[in-house]
Amino acid sequence: MKKLILATFALFAINAMAAESGAMLFKKCSACHGMNAEKKALGKSEIINTWDSKKIEEALNGYKAGTFGGAMKGIMKGQVAPLNKVQIKAVAEYITTLKK
């Protein structure tokens, strides 16, 4: 029982850190996408705060792999290159909290 409680606590702690991480990671994105992801980045992208987390995650992974994107492909590939899958998931989930 004690192990189950510790495992549950660890899971909650990891989720809390991931959410905080998503907010921290998004600060870099907000320069182009706006504080609430409400802007077309450099006037060229879609407004991403209307997307669900799966679509955001797929787009970010696609930018990283070079398989997604139009006008912003080159810029975004460099922006997501240092992110791992956990960070991409965290920032995708955070962006969905910015919907108005």
Side-chain angles (χ1 to χ4, degrees), residues 3-73:
K3 286 182 181 181
L4 178 61
I5 292 170
L6 289 174
T8 302
F9 179 73
L11 183 59
F12 284 125
I14 289 168
N15 285 339
M17 288 181 350
E20 183 177 325
S21 174
M24 294 297 290
L25 291 166
F26 183 74
K27 287 182 180 185
K28 181 177 172 183
C29 309
S30 67
C32 294
H33 287 282
M35 293 301 294
N36 293 305
E38 79 283 7
K39 295 181 180 179
K40 292 183 175 191
L42 305 176
K44 297 179 182 179
S45 75
E46 293 183 35
I47 295 172
I48 60 173
N49 74 358
T50 62
W51 293 8
D52 63 36
S53 63
K54 183 179 178 188
K55 183 174 179 176
I56 296 167
E57 196 172 344
E58 287 174 355
L60 293 175
N61 283 316
Y63 279 126
K64 185 171 181 154
T67 59
F68 181 86
M72 305 306 289
K73 188 175 189 174

